[in-house]
Amino acid sequence: MAEKKKRVFNRQKTKTAMPEQKPEDRIRNFLEVPLGYTDEMAISEAQRCLGCKTRPCVTGCPVDVKIPEMLELIADGDLPGAYSKVKETNFLPAICGRVCPQEDQCEKHCILGKKGESVGIGRLERYIADWDLNAATEEVSSTSAPSTGKKVAIVGSGPAGLTAASDLVQMGHEVHVFEALHKPGGVLFYGIPEFRLPKKILVREIEGLAKVGVKFHMNYVVGATETLTELRDRFDSIFIGVGAGLPWFLGIPGENLNGVYSSNEYLTRLNLMGAFNFPEYDTPVKPGQRIVVVGAGNTAMDSARISQRLNPEQVTLVYRRSRAEMPARVEEIHHAEEEGIQFKLLHTPIEIVGNDKGNVTGVVLQKMELGEPDASGRRRPLPVEGSEFTLECDSVVVALGCSPNPLMTKVEPDLEVSRRETIVVNEVTMETSIPGVFAGGDIVTGGATVILAMGAGRLAAKGMHHFMMTGSSPEAEV
Amino acid sequence: MIENPRQAFSCSLPRIDLDEDLVATQNTRKVHPPLFIRFQLRYTALVKDTIRHAQISIYEPIQLLPGRSSLGFKILKKQVLAPNTVLFDVEAPQIAAKAKAGQFIILRVCDNGERIPLTIAQTRPADNVVTIVVQELGKTTFDLCRLNEGEEILDFVGPLGKPTEISNVGTVVCVGGGVGNAVVWAMVQGFKAAGNKLISIIGAREKELLILEDEIGAISDELIVTTDDGSYGRKGLVTEALKEVLDREDEKVSEVVTIGPVIMMKFVAKTTEPYGVPTQASLNPIMVDGTGMCGACRVTVGGKIKFACVDGPEFDAHKVDFDELMSRLVFYKDMETESYERARNEKCRLMQQAEEVE
Ligand SMILES: Cc1cc2nc3c(=O)[nH]c(=O)nc-3n(C[C@H](O)[C@H](O)[C@H](O)COP(=O)(O)OP(=O)(O)OC[C@H]3O[C@@H](n4cnc5c(N)ncnc54)[C@H](O)[C@@H]3O)c2cc1C
Ligand code: SF4
Ligand code: FES
């Protein structure tokens, strides 16, 4: 056995706190809220890891990041080593460290969590990725394989598409990414706000891909500008990562009043179009002084928190279940509360009311109580009769979730889709009903997470490589 | 408190107050000694960097990407059709090859610009040309109308929406108003090619504003022109002319299609309703993405919510809630006026400066 350095352990029971902008300051800017660990904080946090042989944390990670090894390398101060360790399995660590729901993944399984707080794995992942970002290591990708002469098309430039693009270009294929919007990144660009994921980080990853030869075609709607069938003639294999972009509405009266936004529209106006900077940026947004956000997922938290930065009188978040059921990352819920967002839990909107100009003036809410658990295991919210009242407001942002956009699939009869409009794939190879066409990310799972989309992109890249090199569909055990 | 939050966001660097105590305790924690030598305390640097990152690059154009396929979409021809109404031939091969009558594109002129939809007036696939007709109404169209031949439109995406359903139904009446006549031009070509008898009714406020009369006239079997002030053609509204056509004893109108100001379409629908003639209206709500992703383009048709960009833009005019559409279209009016004014004042200021220099 090789000689092992003696490890230093830190017995602290709680996570090393991460410095943050104070709530009263951050609601007046769009800068990132958590500021990241210093070297010292990172090292002492990494020294909390026990280096468990059974590696429970890894079982919680959808892409099997080698967490104990990464932590040990950080604890030893080998930052380049730690960075390449993460990069082995996670293509976008700077992004995942910021947006993954770690409390449901790696950190949930961490041994230390049984008697205190888990290791701050997400924070350390972010730290190590930021270290690389700041060190600006010009990582010349000499690792990429010789050209195979094969061409692949990636439809959609969200995390699924970018990951597949990255893997495929490394394998020596010619990669073309087609994106409907004018900026690449998918939800990472138009959905998740700057204060949670600085665009700089995303842009850097995308520029990195462009540097190693990935071609980006913006303003290209597959299904409209060119159909999938036509793409199949031009490319040897195709990956579909178009996300779940069709917003759900409440289906209650008054939903077409002015001032009712889907969270997609609201966040797109602000993040993608820069509406918070009107009139420097031309796109307007009109949330008014009193904003109601409906929902409790990440999208709802982002909508509420971005609203709080527009200098409103009040931002209220309405959710029909209780706090325990809120699906957003714990950190975002905490941040939202700190920033002064009012939570109206166990309430549901039943009507949106407006004035003679067709503008929102309020939302009628009904109280809910929790009944028996439903199929999802969560207690079903039941309306309390006669508890209706009107909450005055100027805008309502509906953040209930999204389903896949049928724009592309509906013109491809050969592509099998489920009743929920998701694309049906072989779950092991990610191949669709059309040989050589693969899919992954939210288009397959419905709205999920960045890391799952990345994992799917990676899996599909493997299958596509197999398909192109052998001419046959990958077997289930690839 | 900050008076105007926008200023706070756009001008200076916001100040970040760190929790000094927290930083202090964290920094004094024991660390593995050799590390101190290898890695300097980089705390301040890190914080500063975060700020700088945010400031410089949120919306920097990604067209800087080396892999980007094209920088923009070139204007091959610019022709002023009427005061404030300009025709552009834009080089967009894929869109030209695909587009059908009734579909639209979304464009953005500059990197801080807005995305606006414009219905396609004509395509010439052999020349890679997509023709659009623009009326200067706000900031984006102001910027657009100031572009010249040889210059580029930054983003140009399409063809979006469903094409007009065109088949041989017999006699079709196309009713257009204002800049909507550009789309009538596209539609008459389609309907004619399918073998229909075509009656076009096109209107404008006054003679000067009437566009594409010859082009539409050349294709139509009959052309009726109206102006509100009677300065050309018949005096009056398109709906009056339409009613007369519908009343003709010897003519059976099978379908009416209409595009133009919402109020006009509303009354076209009202006019044809008693006759039971199927009527399609091409709607023009505010849009953002144009692919069904945001719902900004919601319209109510037959009591149901539809997304005009993917379910339309053409709908059964007898079922469309035009009043709601009108109210949704004016929601941002004040802000649009503000940014339009700003653009015009800026232009004036630059022109003055130029004069002073001369
Ligand atoms: C506001 C918000 C906050 C979120 N926060 C978190 C979080 O904190 N943590 C987390 O893990 N997950 C979060 N999620 C979920 C996560 O962002 C998604 O699961 C993930 O982005 C899915 O990736 P994707 O690659 O499948 O699709 P997307 O990111 O949706 O990307 C799809 C891309 O394809 C493009 N496209 C669509 N149709 C076409 C077409 N026909 N032709 C060409 N291009 C097309 C789209 O424009 C888009 O750019 C959040 C989602 C939202 C909306
Ligand atoms: S479970 Fe926790 S303590 Fe154990 S190896 Fe993983 S991070 Fe370290
Ligand atoms: S414009 Fe966004 S859905 Fe129609």
Side-chain angles (χ1 to χ4, degrees):
Chain A
M1 233 172 80
E3 197 195 337
K4 197 133 185 1
K5 261 190 278 156
K6 195 160 169 281
R7 285 186 70 169
V8 180
F9 291 102
N10 173 353
R11 294 285 158 84
Q12 186 187 316
K13 285 262 179 293
T14 52
K15 280 186 200 170
T16 307
M18 169 120 80
E20 292 181 343
Q21 280 197 73
K22 285 184 184 159
E24 60 273 28
D25 295 327
R26 69 195 193 218
I27 61 169
R28 291 196 227 126
N29 66 51
F30 278 82
L31 305 181
E32 199 170 11
V33 170
L35 297 167
Y37 278 159
T38 63
D39 296 344
E40 289 64 37
M41 293 173 192
I43 289 155
S44 80
E45 180 64 16
Q47 286 170 349
R48 291 182 60 221
C49 172
L50 305 172
C52 312
K53 286 259 156 17
T54 51
R55 303 151 61 82
C57 48
V58 182
T59 60
C61 176
V63 298
D64 295 336
V65 170
K66 296 182 180 136
I67 297 165
E69 287 87 338
M70 165 185 97
L71 297 182
E72 188 176 346
L73 287 162
I74 296 179
D76 285 349
D78 181 0
L79 303 188
Y83 181 69
S84 20
K85 189 57 78 188
V86 188
K87 270 286 211 181
E88 273 177 31
T89 50
N90 187 340
F91 163 58
L92 300 167
I95 295 173
C96 291
R98 288 173 164 83
V99 305
C100 271
Q102 289 95 3
E103 69 274 4
D104 289 329
Q105 302 177 358
C106 51
E107 295 183 9
K108 181 175 169 189
H109 296 266
C110 174
I111 295 290
L112 294 185
K114 302 232 179 332
K115 276 202 185 137
E117 285 179 1
S118 69
V119 178
I121 302 171
R123 295 173 179 184
L124 287 167
E125 182 179 28
R126 168 187 163 160
Y127 163 79
I128 196 68
D130 285 357
W131 167 82
D132 176 72
L133 189 74
N134 287 340
T137 44
E138 265 309 311
E139 178 195 342
V140 188
S141 204
S142 51
T143 48
S144 63
S147 168
T148 59
K150 303 280 182 197
K151 275 171 79 176
V152 295
I154 309 276
V155 186
S157 62
L162 293 177
T163 308
S166 160
D167 282 6
L168 288 162
V169 80
Q170 300 291 332
M171 294 169 186
H173 306 295
E174 182 182 327
V175 180
H176 294 257
V177 178
F178 297 92
E179 168 56 52
L181 294 171
H182 56 267
K183 299 265 157 117
V187 170
L188 305 180
F189 203 113
Y190 75 72
I192 302 183
E194 178 74 13
F195 55 82
R196 208 144 75 75
L197 175 65
K199 298 286 179 287
K200 154 106 185 169
I201 290 170
L202 178 64
V203 168
R204 188 192 129 141
E205 298 296 349
I206 292 164
E207 277 174 349
L209 285 179
K211 268 193 208 126
V212 296
V214 176
K215 301 255 186 317
F216 284 89
H217 306 264
M218 300 299 136
N219 298 313
Y220 211 103
V221 186
V222 175
T225 313
E226 190 170 2
T227 61
L228 189 63
T229 315
E230 288 161 322
L231 278 183
R232 281 168 64 203
D233 291 340
R234 296 206 282 138
F235 292 92
D236 297 300
S237 184
I238 296 175
F239 176 75
I240 304 171
V242 293
L246 191 76
W248 291 339
F249 282 90
L250 289 153
I252 61 174
E255 233 169 354
N256 267 13
L257 289 167
N258 292 316
V260 181
Y261 291 97
S262 74
S263 54
N264 270 8
E265 177 185 355
Y266 194 60
L267 292 171
T268 300
R269 282 181 181 271
L270 288 156
N271 294 329
L272 178 72
M273 306 308 298
F276 62 83
N277 219 342
F278 183 91
E280 298 304 322
Y281 283 73
D282 298 343
T283 306
V285 68
K286 252 195 191 176
Q289 284 302 309
R290 294 157 305 174
I291 303 158
V292 169
V293 176
V294 184
N298 285 320
T299 319
M301 293 303 151
D302 284 345
S303 303
R305 293 178 64 202
I306 208 164
S307 300
Q308 193 65 300
R309 284 159 173 76
L310 301 171
N311 207 15
E313 261 164 38
Q314 186 168 55
V315 181
T316 312
L317 188 125
V318 175
Y319 181 46
R320 67 197 182 111
R321 300 180 194 248
S322 71
R323 173 178 291 263
E325 285 88 7
M326 289 181 139
R329 294 178 79 217
V330 172
E331 188 184 346
E332 309 316 330
I333 299 174
H334 170 71
H335 279 152
E337 264 191 325
E338 275 185 351
E339 288 165 12
I341 289 151
Q342 305 290 315
F343 287 0
K344 256 204 174 328
L345 305 175
L346 290 168
H347 279 82
T348 199
I350 54 171
E351 184 181 352
I352 301 169
V353 286
N355 59 17
D356 54 353
K357 287 199 186 122
N359 298 347
V360 171
T361 55
V363 51
V364 182
L365 299 180
Q366 184 174 43
K367 282 208 180 94
M368 307 293 273
E369 59 191 8
L370 291 179
E372 295 299 308
D374 61 12
S376 71
R378 300 185 297 180
R379 293 177 64 193
R380 188 196 304 275
L382 300 167
V384 178
E385 292 307 325
S387 61
E388 300 82 5
F389 64 98
T390 304
L391 178 67
E392 286 185 14
C393 64
D394 305 309
S395 61
V396 178
V397 181
V398 182
L400 295 178
C402 291
S403 49
N405 187 337
L407 181 99
M408 184 190 70
T409 48
K410 71 169 187 250
V411 295
E412 302 298 336
D414 291 348
L415 193 64
E416 190 186 340
V417 293
S418 72
R419 284 215 335 272
R420 292 160 52 228
E421 304 271 5
T422 54
I423 296 181
V424 177
V425 295
N426 173 327
E427 278 172 29
V428 180
T429 64
M430 306 310 279
E431 193 170 23
T432 66
S433 55
I434 305 176
V437 178
F438 295 70
D442 284 3
I443 184 65
V444 169
T445 54
T449 59
V450 172
I451 190 72
L452 286 172
M454 282 180 44
R458 168 147 289 179
L459 213 52
K462 250 174 146 180
M464 291 165 79
H465 182 68
H466 182 279
F467 179 84
M468 288 186 287
M469 303 317 284
T470 65
S472 62
S473 292
E475 298 294 317
E477 58 270 27
V478 169
Chain B
M1 272 315 266
I2 297 175
E3 291 291 337
N4 178 352
R6 288 181 209 145
Q7 264 159 24
F9 299 142
S10 57
C11 308
S12 58
L13 285 179
R15 201 166 69 91
I16 296 190
D17 285 333
L18 294 169
D19 190 334
E20 305 287 350
D21 295 341
L22 177 65
V23 174
T25 50
Q26 302 291 353
N27 285 346
T28 49
R29 184 158 295 125
K30 269 214 316 281
V31 280
H32 198 41
L35 286 169
F36 239 119
I37 307 158
R38 279 168 65 192
F39 299 106
Q40 293 291 323
L41 182 91
R42 234 187 22 232
Y43 190 73
T44 6
L46 192 68
V47 174
K48 273 201 202 123
D49 267 3
T50 321
I51 299 171
R52 232 181 300 124
H53 295 170
Q55 288 294 318
I56 51 173
S57 68
I58 315 187
Y59 301 105
E60 250 169 44
I62 295 194
Q63 48 161 304
L64 299 178
L65 282 176
R68 178 155 170 159
S69 61
S70 109
L71 284 178
F73 297 79
K74 198 162 178 183
I75 295 170
L76 299 176
K77 181 178 135 190
K78 175 181 182 180
Q79 184 189 349
V80 178
L81 298 181
N84 285 349
T85 308
V86 182
L87 174 148
F88 289 103
D89 277 353
V90 182
E91 184 174 34
Q94 278 108 349
I95 305 175
K98 270 277 145 60
K100 299 210 179 70
Q103 290 187 296
F104 63 94
I105 55 94
I106 285 202
L107 62 75
R108 213 166 62 110
V109 177
C110 55
D111 206 58
N112 53 3
E114 193 174 4
R115 292 169 68 100
I116 60 157
L118 290 170
T119 315
I120 296 169
Q122 207 201 20
T123 53
R124 292 204 308 277
D127 305 331
N128 297 334
V129 165
V130 174
T131 305
I132 50 171
V133 176
V134 192
Q135 186 178 19
E136 183 186 318
L137 285 173
K139 162 73 166 55
T140 307
T141 46
F142 172 87
D143 285 347
L144 185 59
C145 289
R146 259 133 215 92
L147 292 181
N148 290 313
E149 277 171 23
E151 291 182 312
E152 287 182 345
I153 298 171
L154 183 60
D155 298 302
F156 199 80
V157 57
L160 302 169
K162 289 188 185 152
T164 310
E165 276 181 33
I166 293 179
S167 58
N168 189 343
V169 291
T171 303
V172 176
V173 181
C174 292
V175 187
V179 72
N181 289 332
V183 185
V184 169
W185 184 31
M187 289 174 178
V188 291
Q189 294 173 50
F191 278 111
K192 191 72 212 172
N196 292 286
K197 176 176 179 197
L198 263 178
I199 303 172
S200 299
I201 305 173
I202 59 174
R205 253 198 346 262
E206 47 181 313
K207 177 172 192 251
E208 262 211 305
L209 298 175
L210 188 73
I211 58 167
L212 299 169
E213 182 196 355
D214 296 342
E215 286 83 350
I216 296 168
I219 306 165
S220 312
D221 295 285
E222 184 183 345
L223 175 73
I224 304 169
V225 178
T226 68
T227 49
D228 297 5
D229 64 352
S231 53
Y232 186 69
R234 296 176 43 150
K235 179 172 158 62
L237 302 171
V238 286
T239 41
E240 294 158 11
L242 174 63
K243 188 162 186 317
E244 284 177 24
V245 172
L246 293 168
D247 280 334
R248 285 178 190 169
E249 297 276 306
D250 54 346
E251 191 110 58
K252 186 184 170 303
V253 177
S254 328
E255 190 178 335
V256 172
V257 279
T258 179
I259 174 155
V262 182
I263 187 83
M264 180 201 92
M265 294 193 284
K266 175 178 169 178
F267 284 101
V268 167
K270 281 230 163 95
T271 308
T272 61
E273 200 161 16
Y275 296 85
V277 177
T279 304
Q280 301 291 320
S282 178
L283 309 186
N284 51 353
I286 293 172
M287 294 189 185
V288 181
D289 61 301
T291 63
M293 180 269 267
C294 75
C297 60
R298 304 198 294 292
V299 290
T300 302
V301 182
K304 292 210 178 68
I305 293 184
K306 298 278 177 190
F307 287 8
C309 70
V310 284
D311 301 326
E314 277 167 39
F315 293 100
D316 180 345
H318 296 146
K319 294 193 179 148
V320 171
D321 184 340
F322 287 105
D323 295 333
E324 178 189 270
L325 177 61
M326 277 187 262
S327 121
R328 288 184 68 81
L329 278 166
V330 298
F331 184 49
Y332 295 105
K333 199 84 209 154
D334 51 342
M335 293 175 87
E336 281 159 10
T337 311
E338 179 186 345
S339 82
Y340 187 23
E341 289 298 316
R342 246 173 73 106
R344 281 200 296 201
N345 292 340
E346 174 71 2
K347 176 94 195 307
C348 288
R349 202 179 55 78
L350 289 176
M351 301 227 314
Q352 261 173 12
Q353 272 182 2
E355 272 170 25
E356 279 163 23
V357 172
E358 278 171 21

